[in-house]
Amino acid sequence: MIATQSALELKGEMLMLNVLRLQDVDIKLIEETLQQKRNEAPLFFVQSPVVVDCSNLSQEQGKQLDLRALRRLLVRMDFVPVGLRNVSNAMLAASMTSGWNILRSSTKHPPQKALVINTPDENARVTENTSTEEQEQNEDAVSTEPVSEDQVNEAIENTSLTSRQKQGLIIERPIRSGQQIYAKRGDLIILSQTSAGSEVMADGSIHVYGPLRGRVLAGVKGNKKARIFCRSLEAELIVIAGCYQLLDESETELKGKPAMIHLEDEKLIIEPLI
Amino acid sequence: MSKVIVVTSGKGGVGKTTTSAAFAAGLASKGHRTAVIDFDVGLRNLDLIMGVERRVVYDFVNVINGEATLRQALIKDKRVDNLFILPASQTRDKDALTKEGVESVINELKTDGFEFIVCDSPAGIEKGAFMALYFADEAIIVTNPEVSSVRDSDRILGILQSKSRAAENGDVIKEHLVITRYSPERVDMGDMISLEDIVDILSVPLLAVIPESGSVLQASNSGVPVIMDIKSRAGQAYMDMTARFLGEDIPHRFLDIEKKGFFKKLFG
Ligand SMILES: Nc1ncnc2c1ncn2[C@@H]1O[C@H](COP(=O)(O)OP(=O)(O)O)[C@@H](O)[C@H]1O
Ligand SMILES: [Mg+2]
């Protein structure tokens, strides 16, 4: 791991969340753009925690923004709304009454994974699918088709996936920053490392035999029995069935150690891996 | 058999062009017919570092557009036999590079009997960098001992193994790590990431560590690849790099005595 103090500062906690930077307050327009993005990068949306950044909105726009509708929209689109950032004072009251958390601002270094509404040039940054190699080998590996709402809801309601469980997907190469891998309907087994800035997801459990450094999302369609196993726990973000935890905010003493993570009463439990 | 080798990093200013020039000159000086291509269209400087900027008549884009033959555009180095430079255009933009165009140039170099084709990538992950890596058989990842450089290298490694032609064909591009501008003193002070940590983060086999050295700037100002400055530490490190790439077993140098113990444990 990076030992220098500056390394840790540069990393920044917001880096681990998706950021939706609004340029417009028209919910219809936001929905259309998100829909378009979802078609391009379906995996980005599955139970992904998101922070809404309002720094590009004028005072006037801020007042017009229907925060309730925005929240409903995000939930409907499979995001997990975490909070608002850079809200103007004019928006504060409305934010609170509509059930949004207000997050501390950090404007200087915009996170890498910003999903910018209305500026197509930056769209390319949103996601980068993993290697075509895996796509060809296993059609269930990486979904390039949009995951429909129905599919997701169905899966969430019917958490017992065992009947449809497919055999696991095994990845031998490292998963690098900017790459995403998704094992649909089964477990994901990674023999190498996952880098900071990467994202590994599975409908089932995830096993990582190299250092686990990126974001890790098990049970993405709601399987609460899904678990995460790793040889060295260095993940940025841990998610099981939508319940998430930033490792930096966790008290666990297992950072950098072998660990197993499971869900108990909506809480992530990190245990030593024996 | 010819090999296409991309020198890439994601981040700018880390030493890709310095490394491309030194490495290509090193391969040529060992008797291998080598061409080095500048993919940084619009911001060419390989020709400058190699001291041939006043000999540029035609460039890479001219050849792609059929405005010149490859033979006309290739500049033969006057100091090192077997070394040829294909300069980038200063006046076009990156859209001038097409997959078909780049492929035909690379194929012609192969037919011409070039053993090594070194592709000096521009910074970023946009078109120019993509074109430089697309046809690669092997990749030299240039990294500086700092967080953002290491992160960008990680990112370009992902692109390399997912978006290149090799990846499309289910093959794996061989990766080599070259850490440049390494300063053991600054690592000790905590200003820079250590060698071991970089290798640990990227998990790519280490080919060479090039020390921070004033002779690099001097060499490029006088248009001489630093590898020809055999008295400089950077020049010697690049010589080692070339030899190691060609299969020789040479220990790493210029790493600070204290670090050496740990390092040897890691890499034998
Ligand atoms: N080992 C080194 N020691 C000192 N300066 C270096 C070293 N390697 C590169 N540089 C300097 O860093 C700058 C960027 O190098 P360059 O090769 O042009 O990078 P890139 O092609 O990646 O943009 C140049 O000014 C160069 O002289
Ligand atoms: Mg350069």
Side-chain angles (χ1 to χ4, degrees):
Chain A
M1 281 312 298
I2 300 162
T4 57
Q5 203 53 40
S6 61
L8 294 169
E9 279 165 16
L10 260 170
K11 211 168 145 196
E13 57 184 1
M14 298 313 281
L15 209 67
M16 297 138 196
L17 300 170
N18 296 304
V19 173
L20 191 73
R21 197 175 307 127
L22 295 182
Q23 322 262 61
D24 202 297
V25 293
D26 182 343
I27 296 288
K28 266 259 153 54
L29 191 63
I30 294 173
E31 176 167 9
E32 275 165 27
T33 320
L34 277 174
Q35 194 64 51
Q36 208 182 320
K37 296 273 193 320
R38 172 145 91 173
N39 293 342
E40 290 162 13
L43 299 179
F44 189 69
F45 292 79
V46 185
Q47 300 286 311
S48 229
V50 66
V51 169
V52 175
D53 186 309
C54 302
S55 56
N56 284 359
L57 298 182
S58 66
Q59 290 267 349
E60 204 42 50
Q61 281 178 311
K63 278 185 218 155
Q64 285 165 10
L65 178 61
D66 184 344
L67 286 161
R68 267 177 221 278
L70 178 64
R71 196 179 170 88
R72 277 197 304 270
L73 170 68
L74 291 176
V75 170
R76 204 167 65 232
M77 300 200 73
D78 294 335
F79 276 115
V80 179
V82 175
L84 298 173
R85 198 171 73 173
N86 295 319
V87 291
S88 61
N89 288 339
M91 288 173 72
L92 271 179
S95 311
M96 287 168 185
T97 54
S98 57
W100 280 95
N101 299 315
I102 311 283
L103 302 177
R104 170 175 72 74
S105 320
S106 69
T107 38
K108 267 203 181 145
H109 302 286
Q112 290 183 333
K113 261 204 164 176
L115 176 58
V116 178
I117 296 289
N118 279 347
T119 49
D121 289 352
E122 293 194 29
N123 291 353
R125 291 161 140 228
V126 170
T127 186
E128 203 169 280
N129 276 332
T130 187
S131 75
T132 44
E133 188 188 342
E134 271 106 38
Q135 279 180 28
E136 275 157 26
Q137 274 174 8
N138 186 340
E139 51 144 5
D140 278 335
V142 175
S143 162
T144 46
E145 285 154 39
V147 182
S148 82
E149 271 171 53
D150 289 351
Q151 274 175 298
V152 176
N153 290 339
E154 176 199 29
I156 289 172
E157 277 158 28
N158 174 16
T159 49
S160 130
L161 290 172
T162 34
S163 54
R164 312 160 49 197
Q165 195 90 10
K166 302 267 286 196
Q167 71 185 108
L169 169 68
I170 302 180
I171 305 292
E172 293 182 26
R173 294 202 54 79
I175 306 298
R176 302 287 183 181
S177 175
Q179 288 189 305
Q180 250 182 354
I181 182 98
Y182 176 30
K184 211 168 157 181
R185 276 186 279 171
D187 291 353
L188 175 61
I189 297 145
I190 297 171
L191 302 181
S192 185
Q193 67 175 15
T194 84
S195 296
S198 71
E199 199 161 69
V200 295
M201 318 164 100
D203 289 350
S205 297
I206 299 177
H207 309 250
V208 182
Y209 290 89
L212 170 59
R213 292 177 175 145
R215 300 154 58 110
V216 54
L217 299 87
V220 290
K221 289 206 185 139
N223 181 2
K224 294 184 174 165
K225 298 237 160 68
R227 290 177 180 234
I228 296 164
F229 306 83
C230 61
R231 292 270 292 269
S232 177
L233 178 62
E234 300 166 35
E236 295 168 322
L237 176 74
I238 303 159
V239 187
I240 297 177
C243 299
Y244 62 91
Q245 165 91 67
L246 293 167
L247 190 63
D248 285 358
E249 290 182 354
S250 161
E251 311 268 84
T252 180
E253 281 163 12
L254 294 170
K255 292 173 191 172
K257 301 221 166 68
M260 176 179 75
I261 305 157
H262 71 280
L263 205 55
E264 230 174 77
D265 301 329
E266 311 278 300
K267 260 199 77 171
L268 290 170
I269 311 291
I270 306 179
E271 290 173 319
L273 184 65
I274 1 99
Chain B
M1 261 302 287
S2 13
K3 249 184 207 162
V4 180
I5 303 154
V6 61
V7 178
T8 186
S9 70
K11 196 167 157 63
V14 297
K16 289 180 293 297
T17 302
T18 306
T19 301
S20 301
F23 180 55
L27 291 169
S29 72
K30 293 245 178 189
H32 301 281
R33 199 169 147 82
T34 303
V36 53
I37 308 178
D38 189 349
F39 276 79
D40 209 342
V41 176
L43 215 74
R44 66 171 220 224
N45 55 26
L46 179 69
D47 52 316
L48 246 151
I49 288 186
M50 310 234 4
V52 299
E53 82 277 13
R54 302 180 65 82
R55 295 173 59 203
V56 175
V57 181
Y58 297 110
D59 58 53
F60 193 15
V61 172
N62 291 137
V63 180
I64 285 176
N65 292 346
E67 296 148 6
T69 64
L70 180 59
R71 208 165 284 261
Q72 285 174 314
L74 274 179
I75 303 173
K76 187 179 181 328
D77 194 275
K78 287 186 173 158
R79 299 155 297 204
V80 189
D81 279 347
N82 303 311
L83 179 58
F84 293 80
I85 298 121
L86 184 55
S89 167
Q90 185 75 315
T91 48
R92 316 288 180 99
D93 63 51
K94 301 208 164 31
D95 290 335
L97 298 178
T98 60
K99 246 189 208 173
E100 296 71 31
V102 174
E103 182 171 27
S104 75
V105 170
I106 287 178
N107 284 344
E108 200 178 335
L109 288 168
K110 286 181 175 174
T111 329
D112 263 7
F114 279 95
E115 280 175 81
F116 294 110
I117 300 159
V118 177
C119 304
D120 178 19
S121 174
I125 52 173
E126 310 300 324
K127 190 160 186 193
F130 172 72
M131 287 295 170
L133 68 78
Y134 185 72
F135 295 100
D137 302 305
E138 301 197 16
I140 290 175
I141 309 298
V142 180
T143 302
N144 287 169
E146 49 152 313
V147 186
S148 61
S149 173
V150 175
R151 175 66 70 96
D152 287 358
S153 293
D154 192 65
R155 180 124 165 87
I156 207 85
L157 280 160
I159 293 171
L160 198 66
Q161 301 299 5
S162 61
K163 298 269 154 64
S164 59
R165 184 171 64 176
E168 284 173 6
N169 295 336
D171 294 329
V172 174
I173 294 181
K174 190 168 178 196
E175 302 162 348
H176 308 269
L177 179 62
V178 172
I179 301 172
T180 57
R181 313 202 65 163
Y182 195 70
S183 160
E185 296 76 26
R186 297 193 57 190
V187 171
D188 273 0
M189 279 157 47
D191 290 351
M192 285 184 168
I193 314 177
S194 75
L195 193 57
E196 301 85 60
D197 286 343
I198 299 172
V199 173
D200 179 52
I201 293 169
L202 293 177
S203 88
V204 171
L206 183 69
L207 180 63
V209 179
I210 315 296
E212 172 79 21
S213 158
S215 51
V216 172
L217 193 59
Q218 274 171 28
S220 60
N221 282 340
S222 47
V224 183
V226 68
I227 198 168
M228 290 179 193
D229 181 357
I230 50 166
K231 286 209 274 315
S232 76
R233 285 151 54 91
Q236 289 168 19
Y238 276 122
M239 212 61 211
D240 289 357
M241 166 188 168
T242 310
R244 237 177 257 127
F245 183 87
L246 292 171
E248 285 178 49
D249 188 9
I250 295 177
H252 290 271
R253 293 193 269 174
F254 317 117
L255 308 176
D256 176 19
I257 294 102
E258 272 172 29
K259 292 271 178 251
K260 224 169 195 168
F262 188 98
F263 184 73
K264 274 210 174 125
K265 260 184 254 157
L266 263 185
F267 305 101

